[in-house]
Amino acid sequence: DARCAMTNDADAPGARQHANWSPYDNNGGTVLAVAGESYVICAADTRMSSGYNILTRNYEKIDEMSPKTLMASAGFMADAVTLKKTLQARCKQYEFQNKKPIGCVSFAQMLSNTLYYRRFFPYYAFNIVAGLDAEGKGAVFTYDAVGSYERTNYSCQGSGQALIMPVLDNQLKTVSPLVLPAVSSATPLSEEAAIDLVKDCFATAAERDIYTGDKVELWIMNAEGTRKEYMELRRD
């Protein structure tokens, strides 16, 4: 029977097997930022995973790119590290050429340009930039993988985004910038209340998201400087 004689080419002796390989991985984790009138909070959990394996419980996803600028990344950590090394070199070049550290708004544009330059083989990292602008107001910039970005008063990226963003929308959503007279988009909460909200968001996400957990690292930046706080999360 002709139907019985038919064989799958992949099962034939000597057939070439093609590995299902990808240059990308998703190491999970959640990053979040909230901007106030005179402060900004940037937070991230410290778990790094691959599939159902926890690679480390102490991976810090936030870096200080300049005295007034923080950058947090979720997604593929190898790409995130490469991206940050590239940006740190460009920040040094900017400082040498302009005799001053790069500002938060300028860095946000630099990151957008860097991501867009690699749009045909993107950095598989989802980034948030947080800092203080030239007026001392909190600023948060949120990105996709190819450099499209916007300034907002809060943002979340990573595996816990779907769990945390509805909470932030409910607590921090402000009036549209198209409404006149213009209203400040800064988060109305005090710095202490915003810190408590961020901690509650991570504690909530860790209950449902297996890629978020172990510990949350918070960077709080204001006119007095930058400080760090930690809070333990679920380890299972």
Side-chain angles (χ1 to χ4, degrees):
D1 186 7
R3 288 175 295 178
C4 295
M6 293 175 65
T7 59
N8 189 338
D9 290 340
D11 297 330
R16 182 176 297 174
Q17 298 292 318
H18 294 281
N20 184 21
W21 179 82
S22 169
Y24 296 120
D25 191 11
N26 190 345
N27 299 124
T30 304
V31 298
L32 182 159
V34 175
E37 197 66 50
S38 60
Y39 68 86
V40 69
I41 300 165
C42 191
D45 74 308
T46 60
R47 178 176 294 182
M48 183 167 69
S49 311
S50 182
Y52 292 110
N53 300 311
I54 295 176
L55 305 179
T56 177
R57 298 181 185 273
N58 295 292
Y59 187 80
E60 297 188 349
K61 302 180 177 76
I62 304 173
D63 287 274
E64 188 174 38
M65 308 306 287
S66 78
K68 298 291 185 183
T69 310
L70 302 171
M71 177 178 169
S73 302
F76 184 30
M77 289 304 133
D79 273 4
V81 169
T82 303
L83 175 60
K84 286 177 178 175
K85 285 182 177 179
T86 301
L87 291 167
Q88 283 166 345
R90 291 183 178 169
C91 286
K92 285 291 184 186
Q93 288 180 326
Y94 181 98
E95 190 169 348
F96 287 139
Q97 291 170 358
N98 296 277
K99 305 294 188 294
K100 64 178 182 179
I102 192 168
C104 178
V105 177
S106 298
F107 178 83
Q109 183 66 58
M110 178 192 290
L111 173 56
S112 176
N113 294 348
T114 304
L115 292 172
Y116 187 71
Y117 178 77
R118 279 284 302 270
R119 64 194 179 279
F120 298 117
F121 187 16
Y123 292 109
Y124 188 45
F126 301 93
N127 306 286
I128 292 176
V129 171
L132 299 178
D133 64 15
E135 299 176 356
K137 294 183 178 180
V140 171
F141 301 86
T142 185
Y143 294 77
D144 69 3
V146 293
S148 178
Y149 78 111
E150 68 170 330
R151 181 171 177 171
T152 181
N153 60 320
Y154 63 89
S155 184
C156 179
Q157 296 273 22
S159 56
Q161 182 186 43
L163 298 170
I164 291 177
M165 280 304 287
V167 179
L168 296 179
D169 286 337
N170 176 261
Q171 295 294 311
L172 303 178
K173 193 73 172 177
T174 55
V175 178
S176 168
L178 300 177
V179 174
L180 295 175
V183 177
S184 172
S185 64
T187 300
L189 298 181
S190 67
E191 184 179 304
E192 293 73 20
I195 291 171
D196 289 341
L197 175 63
V198 169
K199 289 179 177 179
D200 287 345
C201 285
F202 274 94
T204 303
E207 293 291 328
R208 286 281 177 171
D209 178 24
I210 63 171
Y211 300 112
T212 300
D214 295 314
K215 187 166 58 178
V216 59
E217 170 194 22
L218 295 97
W219 292 61
I220 302 103
M221 181 182 290
N222 54 35
E224 298 172 1
T226 305
R227 70 182 194 275
K228 293 170 71 172
E229 293 184 12
Y230 293 92
M231 183 185 77
E232 294 296 322
L233 296 174
R234 290 182 63 131
R235 296 178 61 85
D236 57 357

